[in-house]
Amino acid sequence: MSDTIKAVLVEDSRLARNELKELIRKHGQIAIVGEAENVDDGYKLIQESRPDLLFLDINMPEKDGFELLEMLDEVPITIFTTAFDEYAIKSFEYNALDYLLKPINEKRFAQAIAKVEDKLDAEKEQALAPSERLTGNSQIFIKDGEKCWLVKVGDISHFEIVGNYTRVFFQEESPMLYKSLNQVEEKLPEKYFFRANRQQIINTNFISDVVPWFNGKLKLTMVNTDEIEVSRRQSYLFKDKMSL
């Protein structure tokens, strides 16, 4: 990988930021485009700089690192940097690429950067490859454990992130599909499916109710009674998509 990787640091400790910058300097492909010491400043910085990579502390004053990820509609590749190991499982529920414990070992840091490069290379190859979208009548094969399904795309009500994979909801079933939500989204027919937020894609034919929600957001109720919150940014797009 030869392209520059734009990185942002969100960490409340100046000492920890400096230690992280020392590690990053040994990897010339990474360019630090900004740093922030709290979640709100980090959010603004990410919105302005659109980094490829986010180094994110978890325990910070007022809001934690998980709350920052929930504020974002598009999340960069994320590596958590923390002194506490009890958040490891939760971090992967947020689709983090890696989880580094402070003090960060130089070898362990290099392994994390190698993962970042592999992920960016894979995304680049995928973007270059021709991608044919499915139709509402297309069928997809899903195998989860010992059970298998052949499901018509138009019969799927929504998709949801679970770690690095995606849960598929149709009829009374909700098996796991071993692809990322972004990979799934690239194949879905745009006529029916809409990205409600960072974690969920909905089939608009399965919406039974829409109500205004807090801070300019919308709340959808699906036909199976699941409730899905549409992010503020996506709420504007949803209104435009569903208008005459």
Side-chain angles (χ1 to χ4, degrees):
M1 170 148 193
S2 58
D3 293 346
T4 299
I5 302 170
K6 297 192 300 179
V8 159
L9 284 55
V10 180
E11 160 70 66
D12 64 318
S13 164
R14 179 179 294 180
L15 176 61
R17 291 199 305 275
N18 288 339
E19 289 175 347
L20 195 51
K21 285 188 282 188
E22 282 300 315
L23 289 167
I24 291 171
R25 284 192 186 102
K26 297 174 183 177
H27 297 267
Q29 71 275 40
I30 302 175
I32 300 171
V33 295
E35 54 186 277
E37 60 183 21
N38 59 61
V39 165
D40 289 334
D41 288 347
Y43 173 77
K44 292 174 187 173
L45 179 59
I46 291 166
Q47 295 296 97
E48 292 168 359
S49 61
R50 300 290 177 184
D52 306 302
L53 175 61
L54 171 62
F55 291 98
L56 179 61
D57 189 17
I58 294 176
N59 283 322
M60 289 181 282
E62 297 183 11
K63 298 175 184 174
D64 64 28
F66 296 120
E67 289 177 279
L68 172 57
L69 295 185
E70 289 172 1
M71 292 164 66
L72 298 169
D73 289 319
E74 294 183 29
V75 180
I77 295 172
T78 301
I79 295 177
F80 279 111
T81 58
T82 178
F84 305 95
D85 60 3
E86 64 262 34
Y87 298 110
I89 294 174
K90 186 175 181 180
S91 75
F92 292 110
E93 292 175 357
Y94 279 76
N95 217 26
L97 183 68
D98 213 334
Y99 185 95
L100 300 178
L101 281 173
K102 302 171 186 173
I104 300 170
N105 175 280
E106 190 174 319
K107 181 179 179 182
R108 182 69 184 82
F109 185 81
Q111 290 171 342
I113 299 306
K115 286 185 185 179
V116 173
E117 292 179 315
D118 288 345
K119 184 172 178 63
L120 288 172
D121 283 342
E123 289 177 354
K124 187 185 295 184
E125 288 177 12
Q126 192 173 359
L128 292 173
S131 176
E132 289 187 14
R133 287 192 180 270
L134 301 169
T135 70
N137 289 319
S138 299
Q139 290 187 309
I140 60 172
F141 176 78
I142 302 173
K143 184 177 187 299
D144 189 3
E146 297 301 314
K147 297 185 71 175
C148 299
W149 298 264
L150 196 59
V151 188
K152 194 162 81 168
V153 170
D155 290 338
I156 296 171
S157 65
H158 58 293
F159 299 85
E160 184 173 280
I161 281 178
V162 179
N164 291 319
Y165 304 119
T166 302
R167 192 171 296 284
V168 186
F169 294 83
F170 57 93
Q171 299 170 359
E172 301 298 318
E173 307 288 348
S174 54
M176 196 78 77
L177 183 64
Y178 293 94
K179 292 181 179 292
S180 72
L181 192 64
N182 287 338
Q183 288 176 308
V184 171
E185 185 177 23
E186 289 174 354
K187 293 288 188 179
L188 294 175
E190 294 175 310
K191 180 179 179 181
Y192 307 111
F193 289 91
F194 178 77
R195 186 74 176 250
N197 53 55
R198 187 178 63 85
Q199 294 186 302
Q200 294 164 311
I201 295 172
I202 59 165
N203 184 337
T204 55
N205 291 329
F206 283 80
I207 299 170
S208 64
D209 191 35
V210 183
V211 296
W213 207 232
F214 301 105
N215 300 320
K217 299 177 182 179
L218 296 171
K219 186 171 77 169
L220 311 179
T221 303
M222 308 302 287
V223 292
N224 68 349
T225 73
D226 283 357
E227 293 183 340
I228 293 177
E229 189 175 298
V230 184
S231 69
R232 183 167 58 181
R233 178 186 175 197
Q234 294 301 100
S235 291
Y236 293 119
L237 299 177
F238 179 82
K239 291 171 188 175
D240 185 60
K241 177 182 177 69
M242 302 304 289
S243 298
L244 289 174

